[in-house]
Amino acid sequence: QAGLTQPPSVSKGLRQTATLTCTGNSNIVGNQGAAWLQQHQGHPPKLLSYRNNNRPSGISERFSASRSGNTASLTITGLQPEDEADYYCSAWDSSLSAWVFGGGTKLTVL
Amino acid sequence: EVQLVESGGGLVQPGGSLRLSCAASGFTFSSYAMHWVRQAPGKGLEYVSAISSNGGSTYYANSVKGRFTISRDNSKNTLYLQMGSLRAEDTAVYYCARPVCSSTSCFPGGYWGQGTLVTVSS
């Protein structure tokens, strides 16, 4: 999947803070920011944040999104066992006129 | 409560066809663009297709252009994806998704169905 790059895996300890990154070019992240989705094994994705840090209702404040230049970040504080999941970033690619996804990061909570 | 329920998946031979449906409830279906996203087994998410709220505009990823057709019936609150000339690489869970919007922007993947598995194999 072209356009958005995420590290394949991140491991952090219980109650620690994890920061997941998503890097794209100026046509993507640098334009309108990114959205973040969480997916547990065997379940559909769940939106955590969009347009950098708009959180849908019901999403914990432990999830916080931000952007610096062409890199979007999702910070998860106070890691819990249920945070272990795959995390995807997504953004509008103006050069393709399409939404694109990153390859996903598998977060392991130790 | 927003609900999206996909159906129509199954096993199909290469070159075959299949029609997926997504039944929507809990919101005014005719007010929203709708989207299809797929996920191959063990792989990431791929944006497949989209249709405007009145069906007048559509989008297709290059990987499915000319083979898939998205449509909707607002009187039945149902989204469709007609899939033709299917290939092994089309094997995936297909999700329909509804946007979520703030005052300034929308994101297509606000609400997701449970998905329906399409397997293309002989």
Side-chain angles (χ1 to χ4, degrees):
Chain A
Q1 192 82 27
L4 296 173
T5 301
Q6 299 182 252
S9 62
V10 169
S11 298
K12 287 288 186 180
L14 195 62
R15 293 182 295 277
Q16 288 189 334
T17 295
T19 298
L20 311 183
T21 59
C22 169
T23 302
N25 60 34
S26 59
N27 288 332
I28 312 177
V29 175
N31 194 358
Q32 294 190 16
W36 289 91
L37 303 108
Q38 177 193 61
Q39 186 179 33
H40 289 105
Q41 183 70 29
H43 290 269
K46 176 182 178 182
L47 182 64
L48 299 175
S49 170
Y50 65 105
R51 193 77 189 263
N52 287 329
N53 202 27
N54 284 298
R55 270 191 307 269
S57 61
I59 300 301
S60 170
E61 290 181 352
R62 295 191 300 109
F63 296 92
S64 177
S66 62
R67 175 174 66 90
S68 177
N70 292 337
T71 297
S73 299
L74 176 72
T75 299
I76 312 170
T77 59
L79 282 170
Q80 300 297 311
E82 60 266 28
D83 297 331
E84 188 161 291
D86 294 322
Y87 291 82
Y88 294 91
C89 63
S90 181
W92 175 257
D93 186 333
S94 57
S95 66
L96 298 176
S97 296
W99 290 95
V100 293
F101 292 93
T105 295
K106 182 176 182 59
L107 175 64
T108 300
V109 180
L110 303 172
Chain B
E1 178 193 4
V2 173
Q3 284 201 325
L4 300 168
V5 179
E6 302 93 337
S7 61
L11 175 63
V12 60
Q13 291 188 340
S17 300
L18 212 55
R19 188 176 85 157
L20 306 183
S21 299
C22 171
S25 61
F27 64 99
T28 304
F29 181 71
S30 59
S31 295
Y32 290 88
M34 293 294 294
H35 307 265
W36 288 100
V37 177
R38 70 183 180 183
Q39 186 171 35
K43 302 296 184 183
L45 301 167
E46 181 186 11
Y47 188 58
V48 173
S49 185
I51 188 167
S52 60
S53 57
N54 65 3
S57 297
T58 58
Y59 162 84
Y60 300 96
N62 286 335
S63 57
V64 307
K65 198 173 293 182
R67 301 187 298 120
F68 290 11
T69 302
I70 190 172
S71 62
R72 64 191 297 160
D73 186 336
N74 285 346
S75 68
K76 295 183 178 179
N77 292 343
T78 303
L79 175 71
Y80 302 101
L81 187 67
Q82 179 69 46
M83 310 164 67
S85 302
L86 283 162
R87 307 166 180 168
E89 54 265 36
D90 295 318
T91 294
V93 174
Y94 285 74
Y95 297 102
C96 67
R98 196 212 88 170
V100 62
C101 296
S102 67
S103 58
T104 56
S105 65
C106 292
F107 176 70
Y111 298 89
W112 297 69
Q114 288 297 311
T116 187
L117 176 62
V118 173
T119 303
V120 184
S121 175
S122 54

